[in-house]
Amino acid sequence: MTVLPPPRAPTPPTRSLAPGPVARVQGLALLAVVLLVWQLRGDPASPFFPAPSAWWSALLELHAAGRVVPALATTLGAFLAGLVTGTVVGAVVGALLGRVRGVDRAAGPTLEFLRALPPAAIVPLATLLLGFGAAMKVTVVGLAATWAVLLQARAAAGSLDATLEDVGRTLRLSRWRWLAAVLAPSLAPAVLRGLRLSTSTALVVTLVAEYLTGARGIGGLAAEAQRTFQPARVYAMLVLAAATSVLANALVTAAQARVATGRTRD
Amino acid sequence: MSARLHWTGVVALLGAATLWELAVAGGLVTLQFLPPPSEVARATVELVASGALPAAVRHTVVVTLVGWLVAVGVGTLAGLLLGLSPTARRWSGTSIDAARAVPPVLLVPVALLLFGFDVRMELLVVVYAGVWPPLVATAGGVGGVPAELLDVARTLRLSRAATVRRVVLPAAVPDVLVGARLSLTTCLVLAVVAEMLGNPAGLGNGIIRASQGLQPAAMLAHVVATGLLGIALDAAARSLVGRAPGGGAVS
């Protein structure tokens, strides 16, 4: 008698639709067709839908003017700095909340509120408090990145295997030693999961901050292109940002894979 | 996160707010742009009385919900078709990943070019951002129906249509709901972003206008309203499907 399998956990939406290297290349077919049709039927001078060739020339133009590389550097810099800061803070605070019930309950409603707040809403306040520079961007991105990591670390720290605590006691590890050698590695997969979840939000917030403050990054260039009615540039920035996003996700996934070796739990 | 309100937490929050108030009143702290809770409360009352805050909330809520419904409808349908057809998945998978990778905020300038400073611009951005979670989740759910269930359908000699209707769709429902739930959070975030960067209406616009007018109390009032809206929508989404995998969605 076959027993029906238990309900599966729903597929996390971060998973790609196209596993397998050959399928990955074949999967570009749809995109290629869309771009081709757009190219053939589009008017390069259209104010709304410039052809893909126009995007490419706009990008080359910007690069010739020496603006692409600095923009990428600015955006990536703020994004990575904020992401790393947010991850560290989220991991530490999350671990603390997971281990100390009292603090967890005390922080509950505040965290619930901050978690539900769209991070972009903080940008104007951050601008007033911290100005328009890199410090503001890193802070805002850091805040945005903290939540997912915090929640994951909190869940993992709260459900720590009891044997791990016993290990510390048996080996008579000092508090710090235990934190560094036992707690941190066991939280690493959860922290990386949170990091993966927050990567796209962090990039969006970086771009929002740049767009609003007219900074030099990709967001700033896109804002300028929109203001000066240069749609080809806007699309070029779009493609650039998408490429950055893909790169960031690939890096985080690789990091996840390295840390997860040997573990059977996700 | 638990939906129960811990009184310790509420007390802690009130305590912190009181400390903040006292610190400013006692002249210990004068941050020009971080007004004490009393001022924020006063600004909130003023904004509610003038009708500005309710109008902003209404606008953001309507745009978020309408965009969400369209996004879930389109995304779930597309996900269903993709899930049922491995061929379709094979030839479009990476393309969809590429389209998904575009940070939705950069749709704002594109939408501005198309629609100007208009609610349609907001809706375009919201729908674009919100369509992916349902699409990917539904495709995953439909495509990942356990083989045993499909065997049952084959044993019972069900037609393809009947198999889809009576085995595949019910098995995919949890995934569809998760996709819908994640989409709602995304829709709110992008509605606020679109309002901040483009459409002159709604909470996002209120925040920007207040910050440009150097009215931090009014700005904070809008920010608090946005946060509360986020909680309300999150709770509504939770009632739809329960906790998302991994301990909570990221807005």
Side-chain angles (χ1 to χ4, degrees):
Chain A
M1 214 41 189
T2 324
V3 176
L4 283 177
R8 293 171 305 114
T11 317
T14 44
R15 193 165 301 168
S16 162
L17 275 179
V22 177
R24 275 201 205 286
V25 174
Q26 288 174 323
L28 288 171
L30 179 64
L31 188 62
V33 167
V34 169
L35 288 177
L36 192 63
V37 170
W38 194 336
Q39 176 69 38
L40 293 174
R41 301 210 32 196
D43 172 16
S46 158
F48 308 132
F49 295 117
S53 56
W55 313 350
W56 181 243
S57 11
L59 188 62
L60 288 177
E61 211 184 294
L62 279 171
H63 183 56
R67 303 186 68 188
V68 172
V69 175
L72 263 177
T74 310
T75 304
L76 275 176
F79 168 67
L80 287 173
L83 202 58
V84 168
T85 316
T87 304
V88 170
V89 171
V92 169
V93 177
L96 175 67
L97 289 180
R99 307 282 308 155
V100 184
R101 269 315 118 89
V103 175
D104 192 24
R105 280 205 218 106
T110 320
L111 276 184
E112 191 69 51
F113 175 81
L114 290 175
R115 187 178 70 98
L117 182 65
I122 306 270
V123 173
L125 177 65
T127 316
L128 285 179
L129 288 176
L130 297 168
F132 286 76
M136 180 273 295
K137 277 206 284 184
V138 171
T139 309
V140 178
V141 178
L143 277 173
T146 303
W147 306 121
V149 177
L150 192 153
L151 290 174
Q152 294 285 335
R154 179 173 164 272
S159 57
L160 213 51
D161 201 342
T163 36
L164 287 173
E165 311 192 29
D166 291 343
V167 162
R169 250 194 305 271
T170 314
L171 296 175
R172 298 190 199 280
L173 294 176
S174 77
R175 191 71 164 159
W176 293 110
R177 193 93 182 82
W178 182 77
L179 284 173
V182 179
L183 185 64
S186 62
L187 289 183
V191 168
L192 280 175
R193 239 190 342 257
L195 178 60
R196 179 135 182 240
L197 286 171
S198 62
T199 313
S200 52
T201 313
L203 187 59
V204 168
V205 175
T206 313
L207 292 169
V208 169
E210 288 173 354
Y211 199 102
L212 270 177
T213 59
R216 286 167 318 158
I218 297 179
L221 279 180
E224 182 194 310
Q226 185 267 320
R227 272 199 306 272
T228 54
F229 296 103
Q230 294 181 307
R233 272 198 198 178
V234 171
Y235 283 97
M237 289 300 106
L238 226 139
V239 173
L240 207 57
T244 311
S245 173
V246 168
L247 181 65
N249 269 305
L251 284 173
V252 176
T253 313
Q256 241 189 328
R258 292 216 48 188
V259 169
T261 47
R263 296 185 69 94
T264 43
R265 261 186 308 149
D266 177 15
Chain B
M1 265 199 177
S2 161
R4 267 191 2 255
L5 207 59
H6 288 290
W7 292 112
T8 330
V10 176
V11 167
L13 191 58
L14 290 174
T18 319
L19 269 175
W20 182 2
E21 187 75 46
L22 291 174
V24 173
L28 282 171
V29 173
T30 24
L31 276 174
Q32 189 187 5
F33 295 117
L34 209 54
S38 58
E39 257 193 64
V40 177
R42 201 166 34 83
T44 311
V45 169
E46 268 171 32
L47 285 166
V48 169
S50 73
L53 196 57
V57 171
R58 219 179 7 250
H59 177 96
T60 306
V61 168
V62 168
V63 169
T64 304
L65 288 179
V66 170
W68 177 65
L69 285 172
V70 173
V72 170
V74 171
T76 308
L77 194 60
L80 178 64
L81 294 172
L82 277 177
L84 288 176
S85 166
T87 320
R89 270 205 307 279
R90 174 174 284 265
W91 295 103
S92 65
T94 320
S95 311
I96 294 183
D97 286 342
R100 248 198 323 164
V102 174
V105 55
L106 286 188
L107 259 299
V108 170
V110 173
L112 278 175
L113 289 170
L114 280 175
F115 293 122
F117 293 88
D118 192 64
V119 71
R120 288 173 300 171
M121 165 243 147
E122 231 186 300
L123 280 171
L124 179 64
V125 176
V126 170
V127 169
Y128 186 91
V131 82
W132 305 116
L135 192 153
V136 176
T138 308
V142 169
V145 174
E148 289 92 340
L149 292 178
L150 294 174
D151 285 346
V152 169
R154 224 192 335 267
T155 311
L156 294 175
R157 298 193 196 280
L158 292 179
S159 72
R160 182 116 171 96
T163 308
V164 169
R165 210 176 58 233
R166 300 172 64 178
V167 176
V168 173
L169 285 182
V173 163
D175 294 89
V176 171
L177 290 178
V178 168
R181 179 194 165 162
L182 288 174
S183 177
L184 187 56
T185 325
T186 311
C187 287
L188 175 65
V189 171
L190 266 304
V192 173
V193 168
E195 287 162 5
M196 283 173 59
L197 304 182
N199 191 22
L203 285 168
N205 180 253
I207 296 176
I208 286 290
R209 265 213 313 248
S211 89
Q212 282 170 349
L214 295 180
Q215 296 174 307
M219 180 183 61
L220 279 180
H222 280 92
V223 171
V224 170
T226 311
L228 291 176
L229 182 59
I231 294 181
L233 285 177
D234 218 24
R238 230 199 304 258
S239 70
L240 201 66
V241 73
R243 304 178 100 225
V250 180
S251 21

